[in-house]
């Protein structure tokens, strides 16, 4: 499984932001603008908390397993693989969603903040971007915790090959 690259996530964020900013401008030309739900930053925050809790739990279990503590509960490889896939999928979706809300937020900041409803929408968009960044950070941390060590092939060659 390949590791996530922050550059890919940043690219998704920027492209989604530009497209949603352009879409918000177009949509506003017709007189309405879709709102940023209050639940968006809350849901993203919950996902970030779950990813962080999973990473911390796995890290402590792996540490106990490495130190060979009595009664240490190891990490099953399939469970670790599922956690990494969950983290990667969450990071990709969070980059897309945060970019979308970031683009709408930039449009709201540049359009007019004198309307209280639009000001609230701009705050929700800003909190959604921050929560999306938290999801990405937690997912990258989880991926780092569960990364397998590199194979140092320092074993001497067998006599048959030499």
């Amino acid at each position: 499984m390949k590791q996530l690259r922050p550059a890919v996530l940043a690219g998704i964020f920027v492209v989604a932001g530009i497209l949603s900013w352009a879409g918000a401008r177009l949509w506003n030309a017709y007189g309405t603008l879709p709102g940023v739900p209050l639940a968006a930053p809350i849901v993203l925050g919950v996902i970030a908390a779950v990813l962080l809790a999973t990473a911390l739990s796995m890290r402590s279990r792996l540490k106990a397993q490495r130190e060979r503590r009595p009664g240490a509960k190891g990490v099953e490889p399939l469970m670790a693989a599922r956690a990494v896939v969950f983290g990667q999928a969450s990071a990709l979706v969070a980059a897309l969603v945060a970019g979308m809300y970031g683009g709408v937020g930039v449009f709201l900041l540049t359009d007019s903040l004198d309307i209280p409803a639009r000001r609230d929408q701009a705050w929700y968009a800003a909190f959604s971007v921050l929560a999306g960044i938290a999801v990405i950070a937690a997912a990258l941390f989880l991926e780092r915790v569960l990364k397998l060590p590199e194979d140092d092939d320092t074993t001497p060659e067998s006599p048959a090959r030499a």
Side-chain angles (χ1 to χ4, degrees), residues 21-155:
W21 173 79
R25 282 184 52 140
L26 180 64
W27 204 312
N28 191 50
Y30 289 109
T32 62
L33 184 66
V36 179
L38 175 61
I42 295 170
V43 169
L44 288 170
V46 168
I47 292 170
V50 167
L51 285 170
L52 183 62
T54 302
L56 293 175
S57 171
M58 296 279 188
R59 184 175 72 169
S60 67
R61 289 171 69 178
L62 287 170
K63 183 179 178 184
Q65 188 177 10
R66 272 193 308 269
E67 294 173 353
R68 299 178 195 258
R69 291 184 196 157
K73 189 175 180 183
V75 177
E76 296 177 22
L78 187 58
M79 184 171 63
R82 286 179 181 161
V84 170
V85 169
F86 172 62
Q88 288 183 346
S90 297
L92 290 168
V93 171
L96 181 68
V97 170
M100 260 180 28
Y101 289 136
V104 171
V106 167
F107 170 75
L108 290 171
L109 287 174
T110 58
D111 186 41
S112 64
L113 288 179
D114 55 342
I115 302 169
R118 289 215 172 179
R119 192 175 324 120
D120 291 343
Q121 293 294 307
W123 279 109
Y124 298 159
F127 289 138
S128 296
V129 170
L130 290 176
I133 292 170
V135 169
I136 292 169
L140 291 174
F141 178 63
L142 175 65
E143 191 176 52
R144 182 171 178 231
V145 164
L146 294 175
K147 183 180 178 191
L148 293 174
E150 297 292 328
D151 285 336
D152 294 332
D153 198 11
T154 57
T155 57

